[in-house]
Amino acid sequence: MTANAKGPARLGVNIDHVATLRQARRGVEPDPVWAAAAAELGGADGITIHLREDRRHVQDRDLRVLRETVQVALNLELAVEPAMVAIAVETRPDQVTLVPERREEVTTEGGLAVASRREVVAEAVKRLRDAGIRVSAFLDPEPSEIDAAVALQVEAIELHTGRYALAREGRDRDAELKALEAAGARIVSAGVGLHAGHGLNYRNVGDVAAIPGMAELNIGHAIVCRAVFIGLEAAVRAMKDRIEAAG
Ligand code: PXP
């Protein structure tokens, strides 16, 4: 997915939760490959998967098959670990989003620490960029982290919207939105692609989609939850409609 400062943000559909359901029985269904196809039919601009080191949901086979079958952009979320970076270099997703990873967490908690781990992150960014893969970094809306990532020449920064999503509607959420808007302005003025994700749903996505310069939103849980009742294609279409209405 290339930078897109004008028009509505692109929607990357995270299908990890489909793989989680499959892994509950360690069987073959539901297949994330089918999910990607349905999401594309619903208008997804990208497919996002997180290949975790513990392989709790997405498997290496999923990445290989999705790389062959996905027609839109394939965004691979990845820990900053040499072995994981090597998998990306070999598989060549269109984009890698570098994320923090802890085995005991239920989902990704907090943004990547770049400022305190500059050399390790710089090495990963270089290896990926040298392989022709666009690199995004998943960060909290903290100026020092944004500046550190910009200095490492990432092509995009995905703002962690988890705090915004969890904040109570009203003053708390408004304050989190302001932090996202300020961080977004910093990223856009640095000439870096502005992405956001985590915890976004049909009710809270509009304000984030409307942040100036917002180019890409990566959304999974809310879409897969709605898909249980109305199907994935329709759930993706409904989210696209919300984003288009806001952007
Ligand atoms: N972006 C990143 C970097 C993530 O780690 C996740 C969760 O896997 C998402 C977006 C999507 O979050 P959610 O499933 O809450 O929509």
Side-chain angles (χ1 to χ4, degrees), residues 14 16-17 77 97 99 107-108 138 158 197-200 218-221:
N14 183 314
D16 292 350
H17 295 287
E77 295 176 1
T97 299
V99 298
T107 181
T108 312
F138 183 56
E158 179 173 331
H198 210 287
L200 296 177
N218 285 298
I219 307 178
H221 190 256

Coordinates of all heavy atoms in Angstrom, one line a residue, residues 14 16-17 77 97 99 107-108 138 158 197-200 218-221, ligand 1:
N14 N -7.2 -7.3 9.3 CA -6.3 -8.2 10.0 C -7.1 -9.5 10.3 O -8.2 -9.5 10.9 CB -5.9 -7.6 11.4 CG -5.0 -8.5 12.2 OD1 -5.3 -9.7 12.3 ND2 -3.9 -7.9 12.7
D16 N -6.0 -12.4 11.7 CA -5.4 -13.3 12.8 C -6.5 -14.0 13.5 O -6.3 -15.2 13.9 CB -4.6 -12.4 13.8 CG -3.4 -11.8 13.3 OD1 -3.0 -12.1 12.1 OD2 -2.8 -11.0 14.0
H17 N -7.6 -13.4 13.8 CA -8.6 -14.0 14.6 C -9.3 -15.2 13.9 O -9.8 -16.1 14.6 CB -9.7 -13.0 15.0 CG -9.1 -11.9 15.9 ND1 -8.7 -12.2 17.2 CD2 -8.7 -10.7 15.7 CE1 -8.2 -11.1 17.8 NE2 -8.1 -10.2 16.8
E77 N 2.8 -8.3 10.2 CA 3.3 -7.7 11.5 C 4.3 -8.7 12.0 O 4.1 -9.9 12.0 CB 2.1 -7.6 12.4 CG 1.1 -6.6 12.0 CD -0.1 -6.6 12.9 OE1 -0.1 -7.3 13.9 OE2 -1.0 -5.8 12.7
T97 N 5.1 -4.5 9.2 CA 4.9 -3.6 10.4 C 5.6 -4.2 11.6 O 5.3 -5.3 12.0 CB 3.4 -3.4 10.7 OG1 2.8 -2.8 9.5 CG2 3.2 -2.4 11.8
V99 N 6.5 -4.7 15.3 CA 5.7 -4.6 16.5 C 6.4 -5.2 17.7 O 7.3 -6.1 17.5 CB 4.3 -5.4 16.3 CG1 3.5 -4.8 15.2 CG2 4.5 -6.9 16.1
T107 N -2.8 -9.8 23.4 CA -2.6 -9.2 22.1 C -1.5 -8.2 22.2 O -0.9 -8.0 23.3 CB -3.9 -8.5 21.7 OG1 -3.7 -7.9 20.4 CG2 -4.4 -7.4 22.6
T108 N -1.1 -7.5 21.1 CA 0.0 -6.6 21.2 C -0.3 -5.4 22.2 O -1.3 -4.7 22.0 CB 0.3 -6.0 19.8 OG1 0.3 -7.1 18.9 CG2 1.6 -5.2 19.8
F138 N 5.1 0.2 14.5 CA 3.9 0.4 15.3 C 4.3 1.1 16.6 O 5.0 0.5 17.5 CB 3.3 -1.0 15.6 CG 2.0 -1.0 16.4 CD1 0.9 -0.4 16.0 CD2 1.9 -1.8 17.6 CE1 -0.3 -0.4 16.7 CE2 0.7 -1.9 18.3 CZ -0.4 -1.2 17.8
E158 N 2.6 3.3 12.2 CA 1.2 3.0 12.6 C 1.0 3.4 14.0 O 1.7 2.9 14.9 CB 1.0 1.5 12.4 CG -0.5 1.1 12.8 CD -0.8 -0.4 12.5 OE1 -0.3 -1.0 11.6 OE2 -1.7 -0.9 13.3
G197 N -4.0 1.7 14.1 CA -4.8 0.5 14.4 C -4.6 0.0 15.8 O -3.8 0.5 16.6
H198 N -5.5 -0.9 16.1 CA -5.7 -1.6 17.4 C -6.9 -1.1 18.2 O -6.9 0.1 18.6 CB -4.4 -1.5 18.3 CG -4.3 -2.7 19.2 ND1 -5.1 -3.0 20.2 CD2 -3.4 -3.8 19.1 CE1 -4.7 -4.1 20.8 NE2 -3.8 -4.7 20.1
G199 N -7.8 -2.0 18.3 CA -9.0 -1.7 19.1 C -10.0 -0.8 18.4 O -11.0 -0.4 18.9
L200 N -9.8 -0.6 17.1 CA -10.8 0.3 16.3 C -12.0 -0.6 16.0 O -11.9 -1.8 15.7 CB -10.2 0.8 15.1 CG -9.0 1.8 15.3 CD1 -8.4 2.2 13.9 CD2 -9.4 3.0 16.1
N218 N -5.5 -0.5 10.1 CA -5.5 -1.9 10.2 C -6.4 -2.4 11.3 O -6.2 -2.0 12.5 CB -4.0 -2.4 10.5 CG -3.2 -2.3 9.2 OD1 -3.6 -3.0 8.2 ND2 -2.2 -1.5 9.2
I219 N -7.4 -3.1 10.9 CA -8.5 -3.5 11.8 C -8.8 -5.0 11.7 O -9.0 -5.5 10.6 CB -9.8 -2.6 11.5 CG1 -9.4 -1.1 11.5 CG2 -10.9 -2.9 12.6 CD1 -10.6 -0.2 11.2
G220 N -9.0 -5.6 12.9 CA -9.2 -7.1 12.9 C -10.4 -7.5 13.7 O -11.4 -8.0 13.2
H221 N -10.2 -7.4 15.0 CA -11.2 -8.0 15.9 C -12.6 -7.6 15.7 O -13.5 -8.4 15.6 CB -10.7 -7.6 17.4 CG -11.5 -8.4 18.4 ND1 -12.5 -7.9 19.2 CD2 -11.4 -9.7 18.8 CE1 -13.0 -8.8 20.0 NE2 -12.3 -9.9 19.8
Ligands
PXP1 N1 -2.3 -3.2 14.2 C1 -1.4 -3.9 15.0 C2 0.0 -3.5 14.9 C3 -1.8 -5.0 15.7 O1 -0.9 -5.7 16.5 C4 -3.2 -5.3 15.7 C5 -3.7 -6.5 16.5 O2 -3.1 -7.7 16.0 C6 -4.1 -4.6 15.0 C7 -3.6 -3.5 14.2 C8 -5.5 -4.9 14.9 O3 -6.1 -4.7 16.1 P1 -7.6 -5.2 16.4 O4 -7.7 -6.6 16.2 O5 -7.9 -4.8 17.8 O6 -8.4 -4.4 15.3

